[in-house]
Amino acid sequence: MMGGNSVFSPSDHSLSPNPNHLCISMEDGSQSSEQLVVVDDDDDDLPPIDDTPDLDIDLEDDDDHDSCHGLLHHINHQDEEEETQRCDDSFAANEKCFMAPPAPGMEFESYDDAYSFYNSYARALGFAIRVKSSWTKRNSKEKRGAVLCCNCQGFKLLKDASSRRKETRTGCQAMIRLRLIPFDRWKVDQVYLDHNHSFDPDRVHNSKSHKKSSSAATKTIPQPPLHVQVRTIKLYRPLSPPTDPTHDHFQSSRRLELRGAFRALQDFFFQIQLTSPNFLYLMDLGDDGSLRNVFWIDARARAAYSHFGDLLLFDTTCLSNAYELPLVAFVGINHHGDTILLGCGLVADQSFETYVWLFRAWLTCMLGRPPQTFITEQCKAMRTAVSEVFPRAHHRLSLTHVLHNIFHSVVQLQDSDLFRMALNRVVYGCLKVEEFEIAWEEMIIRFGLTNNETIQHMFQDRELWAPVYLKDTFLAGALTFPLGNVAAPFIFSGYVHENTSLREFLEGYEAFLDQKYTREALCDSESLKSIPELKTTHPYESQMAKVFTMEIFRRFQDEVSAMSSCFGVTQVHSNGSASSYVVKEREGEKVRDFEVIYETSAAAQVRCFCVCGGFSFNGYQCRHVLLLLSHNGLQEVPPQYILQRWRKDVKRLYVAEFGSGRVDIMNPDQWYEHLHRRAMQVVEQGMRSKEHCRAAWEAFQECANKVQFVTEKPS
């Protein structure tokens, strides 16, 4: 369900075996560019299901009464466990297609999309549907609500009692109610899934509703032009006309292999939703209803992204290493320089379509806010998908993956320390583009790699991974991994292995997150309470000891200590407010020159740029700039170079704050979400100190007393 500026799922599990289920997919090859619609969920006072509204009502009834006759027993919807088990068994046995059931809160771009979704769901299970009723606005033919029901709903009319036609109506109550909401979107308002009859998927295609869908599927679906970055991700993938048989085979083969663990995945999602109402999971369904991809994200991750959205890494370690688990992860870097989980996915393949769906699903959950920098491995399909979904982000390749691929491509040199040292010197040691390109050419000639295709491809993409080209890209310390370490950092290291199954992953998932959260809390506590030991008497070190978190301060401290190896600050050029300096640094027996640009504005604000790119790479100034600042008489690091993302005095409330504060008083789901969010904000504030905790506890006690008073108050 979408409400206010929030994207969250309803918490009422009473109407569906699969509530809170937001199935997001898109048309194959679609260039849809409609902006994500976020609406206030105001109730339109639609009529109850069994009441006749005071509106113009159009009662529609199909004449197809025979579709429910003589059906074989296929599934008993009175038992939700059996339906779930059917889905689980179908995946485990022969990957039969899975069609997610409708759930309250689902939204569609049109009435036709909503009808098609329910009709496809009905066809997959083996029953037909019809329009029980629909209503329009006063003095208008515009439809604003409808009830779609099972074709076996109701009973034979009295006037038809003597008819020889066999009775097919069973009084089935299965139905969904739709209503028109702002921005011309259609929302599932109410759902009842239980049937009182058996199904026959093999014969139901002859029913009237499914014949309509078959004929409609042959029509070409128009594709709107691409205009903006944020797209609406449809809840239902429309049927597309068959074209190339090879393409059809490829589409049918794109199914997520869960190896009989679908039930475990479903239970996992339901369990998390009990304690986290802002937890979201999204499923990509194929034209035949088969499950292709899954994405999920919790409220803490969505809130954390608001603090650390400057850098996003896409971890595909499981895919690139052919793990049993087709797991991918969106990863950020927190204020301690540690990795944080910003969303997970299970994917059917590594195609362009899969990556586009996954990236759009993630972007939608983040309300269309792309990262500044997006780092992935080298993959043509992934690169094209990034340019499609994140056109304004700085797309860069993971340097560790690049080095890993280079070493694997030169089998004869994998154990050569000489080659390793040469590669590190070229990649990390070159300060200028010309210097890098000349050194690279000399290296491949020296080691006989001129015809190595991997080396050639890496060089063609050098502007996406070589540090010498990335000095305008913020990387939040992503280049601080040890030189020569070609093992790409894996956020699930020690938890997910080559043979880890989906069940094992799900069983340990919450424990893994708890461990990450505990580690962050301990680092927070250490940063706030501990006084770091100073190594120098320089004022920059004592200044940052009061500001940076402990881990970031230690990194900055290394830069301050390294100032002792820098000397000879010389101004070589001046042009008004901008001056160019050379700072010398002793590296062993060698001395290198580092050019630093120093600018001052009318407001006395200082700007510095070093050829080493230290600030862009790490988020704090390098030793060369620090020496120049000190040389020019600055006693403190200018505030514009103290990033808030590294500060220890910033209280980061990991409670999603996507809502506008408006609550639909007629919607219990919104009551729970609103109260839970506000309560968690108090809890987060209460953790700041003993005094905050005491104040929060007293406030909760007062609230409990007020609620109890209302409960005991005579009506």
Side-chain angles (χ1 to χ4, degrees):
M1 179 167 64
M2 292 181 172
N5 289 324
S6 299
V7 180
F8 58 91
S9 302
S11 57
D12 187 355
H13 293 205
S14 62
L15 296 176
S16 169
N18 198 7
N20 305 9
H21 196 158
L22 193 60
C23 305
I24 295 189
S25 59
M26 59 197 169
E27 301 174 16
D28 290 332
S30 172
Q31 297 296 319
S32 174
S33 61
E34 300 176 33
Q35 188 166 353
L36 172 67
V37 179
V38 181
V39 300
D40 291 318
D41 192 15
D42 297 327
D43 198 337
D44 287 335
D45 296 326
L46 294 185
I49 291 300
D50 297 326
D51 294 344
T52 301
D54 185 19
L55 298 165
D56 296 329
I57 300 180
D58 176 22
L59 296 177
E60 304 181 38
D61 194 356
D62 289 344
D63 293 329
D64 182 20
H65 299 305
D66 294 330
S67 60
C68 297
H69 175 66
L71 301 179
L72 301 176
H73 177 72
H74 181 67
I75 179 173
N76 181 6
H77 274 270
Q78 295 177 347
D79 188 348
E80 295 177 359
E81 295 293 333
E82 290 185 20
E83 178 186 3
T84 307
Q85 186 62 45
R86 178 190 66 80
C87 295
D88 194 27
D89 292 343
S90 66
F91 273 108
N94 58 358
E95 296 288 345
K96 290 177 66 178
C97 67
F98 164 75
M99 190 70 191
M106 282 185 172
E107 292 186 12
F108 300 86
E109 294 181 12
S110 68
Y111 170 80
D112 290 340
D113 280 350
Y115 181 94
S116 297
F117 170 79
Y118 191 47
N119 196 36
S120 296
Y121 165 74
R123 181 170 185 169
L125 264 65
F127 70 95
I129 69 169
R130 58 186 171 85
V131 181
K132 178 184 178 182
S133 62
S134 64
W135 47 95
T136 61
K137 293 183 178 180
R138 294 182 184 275
N139 302 321
S140 172
K141 294 183 179 181
E142 182 183 0
K143 187 178 295 185
R144 65 187 295 258
V147 175
L148 309 182
C149 67
C150 173
N151 206 43
C152 294
Q153 188 271 343
F155 296 96
K156 184 180 294 186
L157 298 176
L158 184 61
K159 65 179 181 178
D160 298 327
S162 59
S163 173
R164 293 184 178 182
R165 174 179 287 180
K166 293 182 179 180
E167 176 63 88
T168 58
R169 301 290 183 93
T170 64
C172 181
Q173 297 295 313
M175 64 84 195
I176 66 171
R177 184 173 74 165
L178 303 167
R179 67 186 177 97
L180 183 66
I181 60 176
F183 299 99
D184 294 328
R185 294 171 66 83
W186 284 79
K187 178 179 177 181
V188 178
D189 192 55
Q190 189 171 350
V191 175
Y192 192 82
L193 296 177
D194 290 348
H195 295 258
N196 63 359
H197 54 87
S198 57
F199 300 147
D200 186 356
D202 296 330
R203 296 180 57 185
V204 75
H205 66 276
N206 292 321
S207 65
K208 188 174 181 179
S209 65
H210 300 313
K211 287 181 179 179
K212 289 180 179 178
S213 66
S214 298
S215 61
T218 62
K219 298 179 180 179
T220 302
I221 302 174
Q223 298 178 355
L226 181 64
H227 293 304
V228 294
Q229 177 173 353
V230 185
R231 287 97 172 164
T232 297
I233 300 180
K234 291 189 176 182
L235 295 172
Y236 169 67
R237 184 188 298 269
L239 294 174
S240 55
T243 52
D244 180 29
T246 304
H247 178 267
D248 291 342
H249 172 74
F250 171 73
Q251 295 298 326
S252 63
S253 65
R254 289 178 54 209
R255 294 179 179 176
L256 184 61
E257 296 184 7
L258 297 181
R259 302 179 186 273
F262 176 77
R263 173 64 183 274
L265 181 65
Q266 202 173 39
D267 290 346
F268 166 74
F269 290 150
F270 291 170
Q271 183 63 34
I272 293 183
Q273 286 174 334
L274 291 176
T275 56
S276 180
N278 275 327
F279 175 84
L280 289 176
Y281 68 98
L282 304 90
M283 292 187 172
D284 178 25
L285 305 179
D287 296 340
D288 58 355
S290 60
L291 183 62
R292 294 183 175 182
N293 308 295
V294 181
F295 171 77
W296 69 90
I297 186 171
D298 58 30
R300 181 185 176 103
R302 296 168 66 205
Y305 180 70
S306 64
H307 299 288
F308 310 114
D310 43 20
L311 178 72
L312 183 68
L313 301 99
F314 188 52
D315 194 332
T316 54
T317 300
C318 292
L319 302 182
S320 56
N321 292 281
Y323 281 17
E324 177 181 335
L325 189 65
L327 177 69
V328 296
F330 294 88
V331 180
I333 295 180
N334 69 6
H335 50 306
H336 301 293
D338 197 9
T339 56
I340 54 174
L341 191 61
L342 298 178
C344 285
L346 299 171
V347 297
D349 56 27
Q350 301 183 57
S351 65
F352 165 75
E353 292 82 4
T354 289
Y355 288 131
V356 166
W357 180 89
L358 190 66
F359 294 161
R360 285 179 175 172
W362 181 89
L363 186 62
T364 301
C365 291
M366 296 305 182
L367 296 184
R369 297 178 295 185
Q372 294 180 20
T373 303
F374 190 35
I375 299 179
T376 71
E377 67 172 82
Q378 190 181 39
C379 170
K380 183 178 180 180
M382 195 182 304
R383 181 174 179 178
T384 308
V386 171
S387 63
E388 169 77 12
V389 183
F390 304 112
R392 292 194 296 271
H394 296 287
H395 180 213
R396 302 294 181 258
L397 301 181
S398 169
L399 180 56
T400 50
H401 276 101
V402 169
L403 297 178
H404 177 81
N405 292 337
I406 290 176
F407 278 108
H408 271 258
S409 71
V410 290
V411 180
Q412 71 279 15
L413 298 174
Q414 285 185 3
D415 298 327
S416 172
D417 292 336
L418 195 62
F419 175 71
R420 186 181 299 269
M421 292 174 58
L423 181 61
N424 282 333
R425 184 166 56 251
V426 172
V427 172
Y428 293 100
C430 295
L431 298 177
K432 296 183 179 181
V433 171
E434 298 81 0
E435 180 185 356
F436 169 81
E437 294 180 350
I438 292 174
W440 182 274
E441 182 69 20
E442 292 176 348
M443 179 189 68
I444 63 173
I445 293 176
R446 175 185 177 186
F447 291 97
L449 303 175
T450 306
N451 297 324
N452 187 295
E453 292 185 3
T454 300
I455 298 293
Q456 292 175 356
H457 292 158
M458 292 301 176
F459 186 72
Q460 290 173 1
D461 289 337
R462 61 191 180 278
E463 295 183 7
L464 299 180
W465 59 266
V468 70
Y469 296 95
L470 307 184
K471 296 172 185 178
D472 61 344
T473 304
F474 182 73
L475 296 174
L479 291 180
T480 60
F481 304 115
L483 298 182
N485 179 20
V486 297
F490 181 35
I491 189 171
F492 294 114
S493 178
Y495 168 41
V496 175
H497 308 281
E498 183 177 357
N499 297 317
T500 300
S501 67
L502 177 58
R503 292 180 185 273
E504 293 172 335
F505 171 76
L506 298 178
E507 289 172 358
Y509 180 79
E510 291 191 85
F512 163 79
L513 287 184
D514 288 342
Q515 188 177 37
K516 296 284 289 185
Y517 298 159
T518 300
R519 173 183 172 87
E520 182 173 330
L522 292 175
C523 290
D524 285 341
S525 178
E526 179 189 17
S527 297
L528 290 173
K529 297 179 181 179
S530 301
I531 300 177
E533 180 181 354
L534 303 182
K535 296 181 179 179
T536 70
T537 59
H538 202 285
Y540 296 163
E541 184 182 13
S542 58
Q543 176 193 6
M544 293 300 101
K546 303 173 184 177
V547 177
F548 283 158
T549 60
M550 188 64 72
E551 174 60 29
I552 303 304
F553 171 72
R554 293 188 181 115
R555 299 179 187 180
F556 177 79
Q557 193 176 42
D558 292 339
E559 293 297 321
V560 176
S561 299
M563 289 171 62
S564 60
S565 63
C566 300
F567 61 95
V569 178
T570 305
Q571 181 175 338
V572 295
H573 181 72
S574 179
N575 182 15
S577 60
S579 300
S580 177
Y581 291 81
V582 170
V583 177
K584 297 182 179 295
E585 181 180 5
R586 184 175 292 104
E587 297 179 351
E589 298 180 355
K590 297 182 179 180
V591 175
R592 299 189 68 185
D593 291 344
F594 292 83
E595 183 180 359
V596 181
I597 305 299
Y598 185 91
E599 295 182 358
T600 56
S601 64
Q605 189 176 42
V606 174
R607 299 179 63 193
C608 299
F609 307 89
C610 182
V611 70
C612 75
F615 184 76
S616 295
F617 295 156
N618 303 316
Y620 47 82
Q621 281 295 5
C622 64
R623 63 199 69 175
H624 316 110
V625 169
L626 295 177
L627 184 64
L628 179 57
L629 292 175
S630 180
H631 174 81
N632 287 342
L634 277 73
Q635 295 300 308
E636 291 186 341
V637 176
Q640 63 268 26
Y641 294 119
I642 305 176
L643 300 184
Q644 185 172 359
R645 72 167 352 268
W646 301 135
R647 296 183 69 101
K648 64 181 178 180
D649 56 353
V650 175
K651 185 60 180 178
R652 298 169 177 88
L653 302 181
Y654 292 141
V655 179
E657 192 56 85
F658 295 128
S660 63
R662 298 184 59 181
V663 180
D664 182 357
I665 62 173
M666 302 300 295
N667 190 333
D669 297 329
Q670 289 198 30
W671 302 347
Y672 178 84
E673 193 278 336
H674 179 73
L675 292 173
H676 182 273
R677 184 173 69 243
R678 300 306 180 194
M680 287 305 299
Q681 288 177 339
V682 177
V683 170
E684 291 278 1
Q685 291 283 4
M687 296 296 293
R688 298 180 65 176
S689 67
K690 290 182 179 179
E691 291 74 16
H692 286 81
C693 181
R694 185 180 298 109
W697 176 251
E698 292 175 354
F700 278 133
Q701 285 184 316
E702 182 180 356
C703 290
N705 292 335
K706 289 183 178 180
V707 173
Q708 185 65 25
F709 174 77
V710 175
T711 303
E712 298 175 352
K713 184 178 180 181
S715 56

